[in-house]
Amino acid sequence: MKKSEKNPKKHYLLSRTGILTALFSCAAAVILGGCAGKAKTPVDTTVHLGVMYSSDIVPLTIITEQGLDKKYGFQLDMQVFSSAKDRDAALQAGKLDGVFTDFIGLCMYQNAGLDVKATGCTDGDYVLLAGKDTGITSLENAAGKSIAISENTLIEYSLDYILSNAGLDDTYLDKQVVPRIPDRLEMLRNGKIDLVLLPEPFSTLAIKDGAVILGSANTDGLYPAVSAFTKKAIDEKSDPIKKMYQAYDEAVDYLNNTPLTEYEATVIKAAGYPEELTGNIELPVYRKNELPKAADLQAAVEWAAKKGLCSPDLKPEQLNGELK
């Protein structure tokens, strides 16, 4: 056989070697994830958070406006609801991972069999106001006066807390149940009610109209607003939720160290403040994220249990959620 002719045996061995190499490569690929295998399921890094218009969502607006979610490697899906009922329905339907809520809301979720736990505090305040023509300038001269509230909610809890701090009982004022916040504000403006307890931006609107500040939950040491997530979300999305709080803390640093004029347009656009408040908005000094104190949660549980909103056996540790 001439040298230029191919050796069939050698050709066979080479072919066999190639086949074996391919088979070993495929086996290795199967072990590591599949030979021409399926792509890994992408990790869901989107945090779906339900909120309502208030001053405590301002840090979230900064996160989205400045792209801090992308910086920290998650995506913030902030969904704004016009009512707590709609927000809670979305949470129960599994469309949300978490919500901005409050101590009383946590108690009610647990009572309804929905395992939602606080993973942080927010800075929502509830301001006690008297109508401009009532002549009321302090709680001391407000005995028996009418106040518009929503019953068995954080608003009533905050009012009772403020009254208790002043050495007064929960019957000191004439509570009138008015479920919708805009209706309470309108009644105060029209002189149909003497007092209200309002969150932002409604409290600022009332003050702009001449309402008199008598106190607030925050000035009395009560910070009852929280960010909270379902146990399922805490178990499955612990990493993106932790990243959300890292972004939140950076947003807080920005808010506390930057003149409001530089981001007021963002606040008005995204946090529910009307254009007419431009130049009149006052924001709190925001706190970096921390868990609610056990004593504060216990006090809320005791109040809610008396109202029949939860079991008296509910423990503060059942309402707080540690991120892994």
Side-chain angles (χ1 to χ4, degrees):
M1 183 181 289
K2 295 180 179 179
K3 288 183 181 180
S4 59
E5 291 179 356
K6 293 180 179 178
N7 186 333
K9 186 175 181 181
K10 184 178 180 182
H11 178 70
Y12 167 76
L13 289 172
L14 287 172
S15 300
R16 186 179 179 191
T17 301
I19 292 169
L20 288 172
T21 301
L23 287 172
F24 279 123
S25 297
C26 190
V30 168
I31 293 170
L32 294 174
C35 181
K38 298 176 182 178
K40 289 183 179 179
T41 304
V43 176
D44 184 4
T45 60
T46 302
V47 178
H48 304 280
L49 191 60
V51 302
M52 295 173 64
Y53 286 128
S54 67
S55 61
D56 57 353
I57 71 169
V58 171
L60 299 180
T61 69
I62 297 300
I63 289 174
T64 54
E65 182 75 14
Q66 297 189 358
L68 296 180
D69 50 352
K70 294 179 180 64
K71 174 181 176 179
Y72 284 94
F74 73 102
Q75 182 177 347
L76 178 60
D77 171 31
M78 183 177 74
Q79 300 180 32
V80 182
F81 292 83
S82 58
S83 75
K85 182 179 179 182
D86 292 341
R87 177 202 64 195
D88 293 347
L91 181 68
Q92 193 156 18
K95 296 178 180 178
L96 298 172
D97 298 314
V99 290
F100 268 26
T101 183
D102 55 75
F103 293 167
I104 306 306
L106 289 175
C107 294
M108 294 175 72
Y109 289 144
Q110 291 290 336
N111 196 56
L114 192 58
D115 196 4
V116 178
K117 299 181 183 297
T119 46
C121 290
T122 65
D123 291 288
D125 199 4
Y126 305 86
V127 185
L128 181 61
L129 301 161
K132 64 178 180 179
D133 297 322
T134 60
I136 301 170
T137 57
S138 68
L139 268 176
E140 285 70 24
N141 61 356
K145 298 297 183 180
S146 60
I147 181 166
I149 62 162
S150 51
E151 191 176 28
N152 293 339
T153 64
L154 177 64
I155 292 293
E156 187 176 14
Y157 176 63
S158 297
L159 174 62
D160 289 354
Y161 185 95
I162 292 168
L163 291 174
S164 177
N165 265 16
L168 307 168
D169 63 38
D170 58 8
T171 61
Y172 181 75
L173 298 173
D174 178 20
K175 295 177 180 177
Q176 301 291 319
V177 178
V178 181
R180 295 184 68 251
I181 293 175
D183 292 344
R184 291 176 229 156
L185 175 59
E186 201 59 32
M187 290 175 71
L188 188 75
R189 283 172 166 167
N190 296 332
K192 295 182 178 178
I193 203 83
D194 297 316
L195 303 106
V196 290
L197 189 68
L198 295 174
E200 290 286 9
F202 300 97
S203 56
T204 296
L205 285 169
I207 293 164
K208 188 171 179 289
D209 289 343
V212 178
I213 302 174
L214 304 184
S216 82
N218 287 182
T219 54
D220 272 24
L222 177 64
Y223 289 85
V226 298
S227 51
F229 288 87
T230 63
K231 181 65 166 56
K232 182 176 185 290
I234 291 171
D235 289 342
E236 297 178 0
K237 292 187 176 182
S238 180
D239 187 58
I241 294 172
K242 282 193 288 188
K243 289 176 178 177
M244 186 200 80
Y245 283 123
Q246 290 172 348
Y248 182 93
D249 285 350
E250 182 170 331
V252 164
D253 278 336
Y254 172 82
L255 290 167
N256 290 341
N257 295 287
T258 307
L260 178 57
T261 51
E262 292 191 22
Y263 58 86
E264 189 173 34
T266 298
V267 174
I268 288 172
K269 176 183 175 183
Y273 285 86
E275 290 280 353
E276 65 187 270
L277 289 183
T278 301
N280 292 295
I281 295 173
E282 290 187 17
L283 295 176
V285 175
Y286 289 97
R287 298 168 299 155
K288 290 189 176 181
N289 192 61
E290 61 183 16
L291 285 175
K293 294 179 177 59
D296 293 338
L297 289 172
Q298 183 60 43
V301 167
E302 290 172 5
W303 184 89
K306 287 179 183 177
K307 297 284 186 178
L309 304 176
C310 69
S311 167
D313 298 326
L314 189 61
K315 304 298 181 187
E317 53 267 28
Q318 294 174 259
L319 301 179
N320 266 341
E322 292 282 354
L323 294 169
K324 299 174 183 177

